[in-house]
Amino acid sequence: MIDLISGGNISLPGGALAIRVPGPFDLSVLITGEDGKVAGDGDFVFYNQPSAPGATLRADTVTVDVGRLRAGASRVTVVVSAADPAVPLGRLPAPTLSVTLSVTGSAGRCLARFTPPRPTHESVLLLAEIYRRGGGWKLRALGQGYADGLAGVARDFGIEVAEDDPTPDGGFTALVNAERSRSGAPPVTSDARLAAAAQAHATAMAAEGRLDAAPGPGRSGGVSLHQRIVSHGYAYLTVAEQLVSGPRTEADFLAYCLTDTRMGRTVRDPALAEVGVAHAPAPGGDIFWTAVWARPLTPHGLAAVASDVVALTNAERSAAGLRPLAGDPRLTAAAQAHSDDMVARGFYSHTSPDGRQPWDRAAAAGCTHRGIGENIACGQRSAAEVVQGWMNSPGHRANILKPDFTHLGIGLRGGGEMAMYWTQLFGSSG
Protein backbone atom coordinates (compact mmCIF):
# COMPACT_ATOMS: atom_id res chain seq x y z
CA MET A 1 0.00 0.00 0.00
CA ILE A 2 1.22 3.51 -0.86
CA ASP A 3 0.54 6.59 1.29
CA LEU A 4 0.02 9.45 -1.13
CA ILE A 5 0.58 13.17 -0.66
CA SER A 6 -1.30 15.89 -2.55
CA GLY A 7 -0.34 15.63 -6.21
CA GLY A 8 1.07 12.12 -5.87
CA ASN A 9 -0.13 9.44 -8.28
CA ILE A 10 0.05 5.69 -8.90
CA SER A 11 -0.78 3.43 -11.82
CA LEU A 12 -3.84 1.26 -11.31
CA PRO A 13 -4.26 -2.41 -12.13
CA GLY A 14 -7.25 -3.65 -14.06
CA GLY A 15 -10.46 -4.41 -12.20
CA ALA A 16 -13.01 -2.62 -10.05
CA LEU A 17 -11.84 -0.31 -7.27
CA ALA A 18 -13.47 0.20 -3.87
CA ILE A 19 -12.93 3.80 -2.71
CA ARG A 20 -13.82 4.32 0.95
CA VAL A 21 -13.96 7.40 3.18
CA PRO A 22 -15.14 6.39 6.67
CA GLY A 23 -16.46 8.84 9.23
CA PRO A 24 -19.11 11.59 9.35
CA PHE A 25 -18.85 12.42 5.65
CA ASP A 26 -20.93 12.25 2.47
CA LEU A 27 -19.07 10.73 -0.45
CA SER A 28 -19.81 11.47 -4.10
CA VAL A 29 -18.10 11.19 -7.50
CA LEU A 30 -18.22 13.13 -10.76
CA ILE A 31 -17.63 11.39 -14.09
CA THR A 32 -16.19 13.63 -16.80
CA GLY A 33 -14.69 13.53 -20.29
CA GLU A 34 -11.46 14.98 -21.66
CA ASP A 35 -12.90 18.50 -21.32
CA GLY A 36 -13.33 18.06 -17.57
CA LYS A 37 -17.11 18.46 -17.83
CA VAL A 38 -19.94 16.06 -17.08
CA ALA A 39 -22.15 14.91 -19.94
CA GLY A 40 -25.27 15.46 -17.82
CA ASP A 41 -26.71 15.29 -14.31
CA GLY A 42 -26.44 11.48 -14.47
CA ASP A 43 -22.65 11.80 -14.16
CA PHE A 44 -23.00 13.04 -10.57
CA VAL A 45 -23.20 10.06 -8.18
CA PHE A 46 -24.25 10.90 -4.61
CA TYR A 47 -26.61 9.61 -1.90
CA ASN A 48 -29.77 10.70 -3.74
CA GLN A 49 -28.47 9.26 -7.06
CA PRO A 50 -26.25 6.38 -5.96
CA SER A 51 -25.33 4.81 -9.29
CA ALA A 52 -24.20 5.50 -12.83
CA PRO A 53 -22.59 3.23 -15.43
CA GLY A 54 -19.34 2.04 -13.82
CA ALA A 55 -19.89 3.71 -10.42
CA THR A 56 -22.01 2.62 -7.44
CA LEU A 57 -22.22 4.31 -4.02
CA ARG A 58 -23.10 2.35 -0.89
CA ALA A 59 -22.71 4.03 2.51
CA ASP A 60 -19.07 5.19 2.83
CA THR A 61 -17.75 3.33 -0.24
CA VAL A 62 -18.02 3.96 -3.97
CA THR A 63 -17.08 1.16 -6.35
CA VAL A 64 -15.62 2.28 -9.69
CA ASP A 65 -15.17 -0.07 -12.63
CA VAL A 66 -13.46 1.99 -15.33
CA GLY A 67 -14.27 -0.65 -17.94
CA ARG A 68 -17.97 0.01 -17.44
CA LEU A 69 -17.94 3.82 -17.48
CA ARG A 70 -20.06 5.57 -20.08
CA ALA A 71 -18.57 6.15 -23.53
CA GLY A 72 -16.22 9.11 -23.54
CA ALA A 73 -15.56 9.09 -19.78
CA SER A 74 -11.91 9.63 -18.95
CA ARG A 75 -11.92 10.85 -15.36
CA VAL A 76 -13.68 10.10 -12.05
CA THR A 77 -13.29 12.73 -9.33
CA VAL A 78 -13.94 11.76 -5.70
CA VAL A 79 -15.67 14.45 -3.60
CA VAL A 80 -16.30 14.56 0.16
CA SER A 81 -18.40 16.88 2.32
CA ALA A 82 -19.72 16.79 5.88
CA ALA A 83 -22.65 14.40 6.35
CA ASP A 84 -24.22 16.98 8.65
CA PRO A 85 -24.37 20.27 6.70
CA ALA A 86 -24.53 22.20 9.98
CA VAL A 87 -21.00 21.04 10.89
CA PRO A 88 -18.06 22.69 9.05
CA LEU A 89 -15.39 20.33 7.71
CA GLY A 90 -12.84 22.14 9.86
CA ARG A 91 -14.53 20.79 13.00
CA LEU A 92 -14.20 17.20 11.80
CA PRO A 93 -11.14 14.96 11.59
CA ALA A 94 -9.42 15.08 8.23
CA PRO A 95 -11.03 12.52 5.89
CA THR A 96 -8.91 9.52 4.92
CA LEU A 97 -9.44 7.91 1.54
CA SER A 98 -8.42 4.32 0.88
CA VAL A 99 -8.42 2.62 -2.52
CA THR A 100 -8.73 -1.16 -2.64
CA LEU A 101 -8.81 -3.57 -5.55
CA SER A 102 -12.35 -4.91 -5.27
CA VAL A 103 -12.46 -8.70 -5.19
CA THR A 104 -15.77 -10.51 -4.76
CA GLY A 105 -15.88 -12.54 -1.57
CA SER A 106 -12.64 -11.18 -0.08
CA ALA A 107 -11.19 -8.03 1.45
CA GLY A 108 -9.19 -7.20 -1.67
CA ARG A 109 -5.75 -5.59 -1.85
CA CYS A 110 -5.30 -2.05 -0.54
CA LEU A 111 -3.51 -0.02 -3.21
CA ALA A 112 -3.25 3.47 -1.75
CA ARG A 113 -4.30 5.76 1.08
CA PHE A 114 -4.52 9.54 1.22
CA THR A 115 -5.24 11.96 4.07
CA PRO A 116 -5.29 15.61 2.93
CA PRO A 117 -4.31 18.52 5.17
CA ARG A 118 -7.15 19.30 7.57
CA PRO A 119 -9.51 21.83 5.95
CA THR A 120 -10.15 25.25 7.47
CA HIS A 121 -13.00 27.20 5.86
CA GLU A 122 -13.70 24.78 3.01
CA SER A 123 -17.03 22.94 2.94
CA VAL A 124 -16.17 20.44 0.19
CA LEU A 125 -12.94 18.66 -0.75
CA LEU A 126 -11.90 17.03 -4.01
CA LEU A 127 -9.96 14.10 -2.57
CA ALA A 128 -8.69 12.25 -5.62
CA GLU A 129 -9.19 11.54 -9.29
CA ILE A 130 -8.98 8.39 -11.37
CA TYR A 131 -7.92 9.36 -14.89
CA ARG A 132 -7.02 7.74 -18.19
CA ARG A 133 -3.38 7.99 -19.21
CA GLY A 134 -2.37 6.32 -22.46
CA GLY A 135 -3.78 2.82 -22.45
CA GLY A 136 -4.18 2.60 -18.67
CA TRP A 137 -5.62 4.38 -15.66
CA LYS A 138 -3.97 6.23 -12.78
CA LEU A 139 -4.97 7.63 -9.40
CA ARG A 140 -3.92 11.12 -8.28
CA ALA A 141 -4.37 12.55 -4.77
CA LEU A 142 -5.84 16.08 -4.80
CA GLY A 143 -7.04 17.68 -1.55
CA GLN A 144 -8.53 20.72 -3.33
CA GLY A 145 -11.11 22.60 -1.24
CA TYR A 146 -14.21 24.63 -2.09
CA ALA A 147 -15.64 27.25 0.25
CA ASP A 148 -18.93 27.53 -1.66
CA GLY A 149 -19.94 23.90 -1.28
CA LEU A 150 -21.20 21.45 -3.86
CA ALA A 151 -22.67 24.31 -5.91
CA GLY A 152 -19.14 25.53 -6.66
CA VAL A 153 -18.00 22.03 -7.55
CA ALA A 154 -21.04 21.52 -9.76
CA ARG A 155 -20.41 24.75 -11.68
CA ASP A 156 -16.76 23.91 -12.31
CA PHE A 157 -17.69 20.46 -13.62
CA GLY A 158 -20.44 21.70 -15.91
CA ILE A 159 -23.58 20.87 -13.93
CA GLU A 160 -26.26 23.50 -14.42
CA VAL A 161 -26.78 25.55 -11.25
CA ALA A 162 -29.45 28.23 -11.13
CA GLU A 163 -27.95 31.62 -10.39
CA ASP A 164 -29.73 33.21 -7.47
CA ASP A 165 -29.78 36.79 -6.30
CA PRO A 166 -26.79 36.97 -3.90
CA THR A 167 -29.15 38.28 -1.21
CA PRO A 168 -32.51 36.73 -2.19
CA ASP A 169 -33.91 37.29 1.29
CA GLY A 170 -33.02 40.98 1.42
CA GLY A 171 -30.04 40.39 3.71
CA PHE A 172 -32.00 38.38 6.29
CA THR A 173 -29.44 35.55 6.33
CA ALA A 174 -26.58 37.95 7.01
CA LEU A 175 -28.51 39.47 9.92
CA VAL A 176 -29.32 36.01 11.28
CA ASN A 177 -25.74 34.81 11.04
CA ALA A 178 -24.49 37.83 12.92
CA GLU A 179 -26.86 36.91 15.76
CA ARG A 180 -25.92 33.23 15.56
CA SER A 181 -22.24 34.11 15.69
CA ARG A 182 -22.80 36.00 18.94
CA SER A 183 -24.41 32.88 20.46
CA GLY A 184 -21.74 30.49 19.14
CA ALA A 185 -24.05 28.75 16.63
CA PRO A 186 -22.77 27.90 13.12
CA PRO A 187 -24.08 30.01 10.23
CA VAL A 188 -27.15 29.06 8.22
CA THR A 189 -27.47 29.32 4.45
CA SER A 190 -30.42 30.57 2.44
CA ASP A 191 -32.27 27.86 0.50
CA ALA A 192 -34.39 28.77 -2.52
CA ARG A 193 -36.82 25.87 -1.97
CA LEU A 194 -37.51 26.92 1.61
CA ALA A 195 -37.92 30.52 0.45
CA ALA A 196 -40.42 29.46 -2.23
CA ALA A 197 -42.45 27.48 0.30
CA ALA A 198 -42.33 30.42 2.71
CA GLN A 199 -43.51 32.78 -0.05
CA ALA A 200 -46.45 30.54 -0.98
CA HIS A 201 -47.53 30.30 2.65
CA ALA A 202 -47.09 34.00 3.43
CA THR A 203 -49.16 34.86 0.35
CA ALA A 204 -51.93 32.44 1.38
CA MET A 205 -52.01 33.81 4.94
CA ALA A 206 -52.10 37.39 3.69
CA ALA A 207 -55.04 36.58 1.42
CA GLU A 208 -56.98 35.21 4.41
CA GLY A 209 -55.68 37.72 6.95
CA ARG A 210 -54.69 35.05 9.50
CA LEU A 211 -51.56 33.33 10.82
CA ASP A 212 -51.79 29.56 10.44
CA ALA A 213 -49.12 26.87 10.09
CA ALA A 214 -51.30 23.79 9.69
CA PRO A 215 -54.70 24.88 8.35
CA GLY A 216 -57.73 22.70 7.91
CA PRO A 217 -59.70 22.29 4.67
CA GLY A 218 -60.61 25.60 3.12
CA ARG A 219 -57.94 27.57 5.02
CA SER A 220 -54.74 28.64 3.27
CA GLY A 221 -55.89 26.38 0.46
CA GLY A 222 -56.02 23.46 2.88
CA VAL A 223 -52.24 23.07 2.56
CA SER A 224 -49.95 23.14 5.57
CA LEU A 225 -46.63 24.93 5.54
CA HIS A 226 -44.86 21.58 5.87
CA GLN A 227 -46.68 20.18 2.87
CA ARG A 228 -45.56 23.23 0.91
CA ILE A 229 -41.94 22.61 1.94
CA VAL A 230 -42.02 19.01 0.70
CA SER A 231 -43.86 19.93 -2.49
CA HIS A 232 -41.05 22.37 -3.32
CA GLY A 233 -38.58 19.48 -3.27
CA TYR A 234 -37.06 19.93 0.18
CA ALA A 235 -36.76 16.84 2.41
CA TYR A 236 -35.98 17.76 5.99
CA LEU A 237 -34.77 15.98 9.09
CA THR A 238 -36.09 18.66 11.42
CA VAL A 239 -37.94 21.91 10.84
CA ALA A 240 -39.05 25.07 12.64
CA GLU A 241 -41.18 27.97 11.49
CA GLN A 242 -41.95 31.57 12.45
CA LEU A 243 -45.26 33.15 11.42
CA VAL A 244 -45.61 36.85 12.18
CA SER A 245 -47.64 39.80 10.96
CA GLY A 246 -46.75 43.46 11.27
CA PRO A 247 -43.00 44.11 10.72
CA ARG A 248 -42.12 46.15 7.64
CA THR A 249 -38.52 45.05 6.99
CA GLU A 250 -36.33 41.97 7.39
CA ALA A 251 -34.49 43.65 10.25
CA ASP A 252 -37.76 44.44 12.01
CA PHE A 253 -38.98 40.88 11.53
CA LEU A 254 -35.80 39.43 13.02
CA ALA A 255 -35.88 41.89 15.92
CA TYR A 256 -39.47 40.85 16.66
CA CYS A 257 -38.52 37.14 16.61
CA LEU A 258 -35.68 37.77 19.05
CA THR A 259 -38.10 39.28 21.58
CA ASP A 260 -40.00 35.97 21.73
CA THR A 261 -38.36 33.17 23.74
CA ARG A 262 -39.41 30.33 21.44
CA MET A 263 -38.72 32.14 18.16
CA GLY A 264 -35.42 33.48 19.49
CA ARG A 265 -34.37 29.93 20.36
CA THR A 266 -35.05 28.95 16.75
CA VAL A 267 -32.85 31.76 15.41
CA ARG A 268 -29.94 30.50 17.55
CA ASP A 269 -30.58 26.76 17.23
CA PRO A 270 -27.30 25.09 16.14
CA ALA A 271 -29.22 22.07 14.80
CA LEU A 272 -30.79 24.18 12.01
CA ALA A 273 -28.68 24.67 8.90
CA GLU A 274 -30.83 26.33 6.21
CA VAL A 275 -33.47 29.05 6.10
CA GLY A 276 -36.00 30.62 3.77
CA VAL A 277 -37.97 33.78 4.53
CA ALA A 278 -40.72 35.64 2.68
CA HIS A 279 -43.44 38.21 3.25
CA ALA A 280 -46.67 39.26 1.54
CA PRO A 281 -48.98 42.27 1.93
CA ALA A 282 -52.58 41.73 3.03
CA PRO A 283 -55.43 43.68 1.40
CA GLY A 284 -55.69 45.85 4.52
CA GLY A 285 -52.01 46.83 4.35
CA ASP A 286 -50.65 44.44 7.00
CA ILE A 287 -47.51 42.41 6.18
CA PHE A 288 -47.49 38.64 6.75
CA TRP A 289 -44.16 36.88 7.26
CA THR A 290 -43.10 33.24 7.08
CA ALA A 291 -39.62 31.99 7.97
CA VAL A 292 -38.76 28.31 7.56
CA TRP A 293 -35.71 26.82 9.25
CA ALA A 294 -34.57 23.27 8.60
CA ARG A 295 -31.85 20.67 8.58
CA PRO A 296 -31.92 18.73 5.30
CA LEU A 297 -32.54 15.00 5.34
CA THR A 298 -29.41 12.89 4.83
CA PRO A 299 -28.91 9.16 5.39
CA HIS A 300 -26.37 9.89 8.13
CA GLY A 301 -28.69 12.36 9.86
CA LEU A 302 -31.67 10.01 9.68
CA ALA A 303 -29.63 7.19 11.20
CA ALA A 304 -28.36 9.48 13.96
CA VAL A 305 -31.84 10.62 15.02
CA ALA A 306 -33.17 7.05 14.94
CA SER A 307 -30.20 5.97 17.08
CA ASP A 308 -31.05 8.73 19.57
CA VAL A 309 -34.64 7.46 19.83
CA VAL A 310 -33.37 3.92 20.51
CA ALA A 311 -30.91 5.19 23.14
CA LEU A 312 -33.55 7.27 24.93
CA THR A 313 -36.00 4.37 24.83
CA ASN A 314 -33.40 2.03 26.31
CA ALA A 315 -32.60 4.59 29.02
CA GLU A 316 -36.24 4.43 30.09
CA ARG A 317 -36.13 0.63 30.10
CA SER A 318 -32.89 0.63 32.07
CA ALA A 319 -34.43 2.93 34.70
CA ALA A 320 -37.26 0.40 35.03
CA GLY A 321 -34.83 -2.50 35.41
CA LEU A 322 -35.50 -3.94 31.94
CA ARG A 323 -33.02 -5.18 29.36
CA PRO A 324 -32.31 -2.89 26.40
CA LEU A 325 -33.87 -3.38 23.00
CA ALA A 326 -31.63 -4.30 20.08
CA GLY A 327 -31.93 -2.56 16.74
CA ASP A 328 -33.46 -4.63 13.96
CA PRO A 329 -33.07 -3.60 10.29
CA ARG A 330 -36.33 -5.28 9.23
CA LEU A 331 -38.33 -3.56 11.96
CA THR A 332 -36.58 -0.33 10.97
CA ALA A 333 -37.57 -0.80 7.32
CA ALA A 334 -41.20 -1.42 8.27
CA ALA A 335 -41.27 1.55 10.69
CA GLN A 336 -39.71 3.87 8.13
CA ALA A 337 -42.15 2.73 5.46
CA HIS A 338 -45.09 3.52 7.76
CA SER A 339 -43.82 7.04 8.56
CA ASP A 340 -43.24 7.61 4.84
CA ASP A 341 -46.74 6.31 4.06
CA MET A 342 -48.43 8.54 6.65
CA VAL A 343 -46.86 11.60 5.05
CA ALA A 344 -47.43 10.48 1.45
CA ARG A 345 -51.09 9.51 1.90
CA GLY A 346 -52.01 12.07 4.53
CA PHE A 347 -53.22 9.87 7.38
CA TYR A 348 -52.24 9.27 11.00
CA SER A 349 -53.17 5.83 12.27
CA HIS A 350 -51.84 2.38 13.14
CA THR A 351 -54.11 1.09 10.37
CA SER A 352 -53.05 1.94 6.82
CA PRO A 353 -55.73 3.12 4.37
CA ASP A 354 -55.54 -0.34 2.76
CA GLY A 355 -56.31 -1.99 6.13
CA ARG A 356 -52.82 -3.22 7.01
CA GLN A 357 -51.86 -3.42 10.69
CA PRO A 358 -48.40 -3.17 12.33
CA TRP A 359 -47.89 -6.94 12.26
CA ASP A 360 -48.81 -7.02 8.57
CA ARG A 361 -46.19 -4.39 7.77
CA ALA A 362 -43.60 -6.18 9.90
CA ALA A 363 -44.28 -9.50 8.14
CA ALA A 364 -44.02 -7.80 4.73
CA ALA A 365 -40.55 -6.54 5.73
CA GLY A 366 -39.47 -10.08 6.58
CA CYS A 367 -39.78 -9.90 10.37
CA THR A 368 -40.25 -13.21 12.19
CA HIS A 369 -40.83 -11.85 15.70
CA ARG A 370 -43.48 -13.62 17.75
CA GLY A 371 -44.97 -10.41 19.11
CA ILE A 372 -45.27 -6.96 17.47
CA GLY A 373 -46.13 -3.60 19.02
CA GLU A 374 -46.20 -0.09 17.57
CA ASN A 375 -46.05 3.49 18.83
CA ILE A 376 -46.68 6.41 16.48
CA ALA A 377 -46.52 10.16 17.07
CA CYS A 378 -46.73 13.35 15.04
CA GLY A 379 -45.64 16.94 15.54
CA GLN A 380 -42.60 16.41 17.79
CA ARG A 381 -39.40 17.90 16.38
CA SER A 382 -36.68 15.89 18.21
CA ALA A 383 -35.87 12.44 19.55
CA ALA A 384 -36.07 13.69 23.15
CA GLU A 385 -39.46 15.32 22.58
CA VAL A 386 -41.04 12.27 20.96
CA VAL A 387 -39.78 9.76 23.55
CA GLN A 388 -40.94 12.01 26.38
CA GLY A 389 -44.35 12.28 24.72
CA TRP A 390 -44.64 8.51 24.47
CA MET A 391 -43.59 8.08 28.11
CA ASN A 392 -46.31 10.56 29.16
CA SER A 393 -48.97 8.41 27.46
CA PRO A 394 -49.96 5.23 29.34
CA GLY A 395 -50.47 3.08 26.26
CA HIS A 396 -47.24 4.13 24.56
CA ARG A 397 -45.34 3.88 27.83
CA ALA A 398 -46.57 0.29 28.23
CA ASN A 399 -45.03 -0.64 24.88
CA ILE A 400 -41.70 0.97 25.75
CA LEU A 401 -41.60 -0.83 29.11
CA LYS A 402 -43.01 -4.18 27.99
CA PRO A 403 -40.60 -6.87 29.28
CA ASP A 404 -41.33 -9.26 26.40
CA PHE A 405 -40.05 -6.92 23.70
CA THR A 406 -36.46 -7.54 22.58
CA HIS A 407 -36.00 -5.56 19.35
CA LEU A 408 -36.87 -2.12 17.99
CA GLY A 409 -37.02 -0.24 14.69
CA ILE A 410 -37.49 3.52 14.23
CA GLY A 411 -38.97 5.50 11.34
CA LEU A 412 -39.43 9.24 10.90
CA ARG A 413 -40.46 11.49 8.03
CA GLY A 414 -41.00 15.21 7.67
CA GLY A 415 -44.01 16.65 5.87
CA GLY A 416 -47.77 16.39 6.04
CA GLU A 417 -50.01 18.55 8.19
CA MET A 418 -48.10 17.95 11.44
CA ALA A 419 -44.48 18.43 10.26
CA MET A 420 -42.98 15.16 11.61
CA TYR A 421 -44.34 11.60 11.74
CA TRP A 422 -42.64 9.03 13.99
CA THR A 423 -42.97 5.25 14.24
CA GLN A 424 -41.58 2.83 16.84
CA LEU A 425 -41.99 -0.83 15.89
CA PHE A 426 -41.27 -3.38 18.62
CA GLY A 427 -40.68 -7.11 18.30
CA SER A 428 -40.28 -10.00 20.73
CA SER A 429 -38.03 -12.90 19.78
CA GLY A 430 -39.18 -15.49 22.30
Side-chain angles (χ1 to χ4, degrees), residues 204-223:
M205 291 192 303
E208 297 177 5
R210 66 187 303 160
L211 298 173
D212 206 343
R219 294 157 57 193
S220 293
V223 180

Side-chain angles (χ1 to χ4, degrees), residues 10 41 48 99 108 122 125 140 143 172 182 196-197 199 207 211 265 289 318 378:
I10 62 168
D41 290 349
N48 261 354
V99 181
E122 298 91 344
L125 289 178
R140 178 185 291 120
F172 179 75
R182 285 189 285 272
Q199 186 63 69
L211 298 173
R265 189 182 303 119
W289 293 81
S318 177
C378 64

Side-chain angles (χ1 to χ4, degrees), residues 335-345 412-413 421 423:
Q336 186 61 54
H338 190 53
S339 288
D340 293 344
D341 194 28
M342 287 191 288
V343 170
R345 293 201 275 179
L412 61 142
R413 174 62 62 180
Y421 290 75
T423 304

Side-chain angles (χ1 to χ4, degrees), residues 244-429:
V244 173
S245 64
R248 314 304 292 183
T249 68
E250 287 83 0
D252 290 343
F253 170 66
L254 178 59
Y256 179 87
C257 291
L258 292 174
T259 65
D260 179 271
T261 300
R262 181 186 62 82
M263 290 194 288
R265 189 182 303 119
T266 295
V267 172
R268 305 180 185 95
D269 188 345
L272 300 169
E274 297 178 336
V275 66
V277 64
H279 61 278
D286 201 358
I287 304 292
F288 281 74
W289 293 81
T290 301
V292 181
W293 307 73
R295 173 179 290 191
L297 177 67
T298 65
H300 182 272
L302 179 63
V305 175
S307 178
D308 288 344
V309 174
V310 173
L312 290 165
T313 299
N314 280 334
E316 297 291 349
R317 288 177 66 88
S318 177
L322 299 171
R323 61 183 174 179
L325 302 173
D328 184 293
R330 291 164 298 184
L331 289 172
T332 296
Q336 186 61 54
H338 190 53
S339 288
D340 293 344
D341 194 28
M342 287 191 288
V343 170
R345 293 201 275 179
F347 73 97
Y348 176 64
S349 174
H350 293 288
T351 305
S352 304
D354 53 12
R356 291 190 302 159
Q357 301 290 337
W359 41 90
D360 300 318
R361 295 188 289 270
C367 297
T368 58
H369 297 286
R370 181 177 59 83
I372 293 292
E374 184 179 79
N375 286 344
I376 59 175
C378 64
Q380 298 85 353
R381 309 298 175 89
S382 70
E385 187 179 346
V386 73
V387 173
Q388 188 59 57
W390 281 325
M391 288 299 294
N392 290 339
S393 166
H396 298 96
R397 178 187 178 94
N399 271 339
I400 288 175
L401 300 182
K402 186 172 181 177
D404 290 348
F405 286 144
T406 56
H407 292 80
L408 178 63
I410 304 298
L412 61 142
R413 174 62 62 180
E417 185 174 329
M418 297 303 296
M420 294 293 297
Y421 290 75
W422 305 78
T423 304
Q424 272 188 319
L425 195 59
F426 302 86
S428 57
S429 58

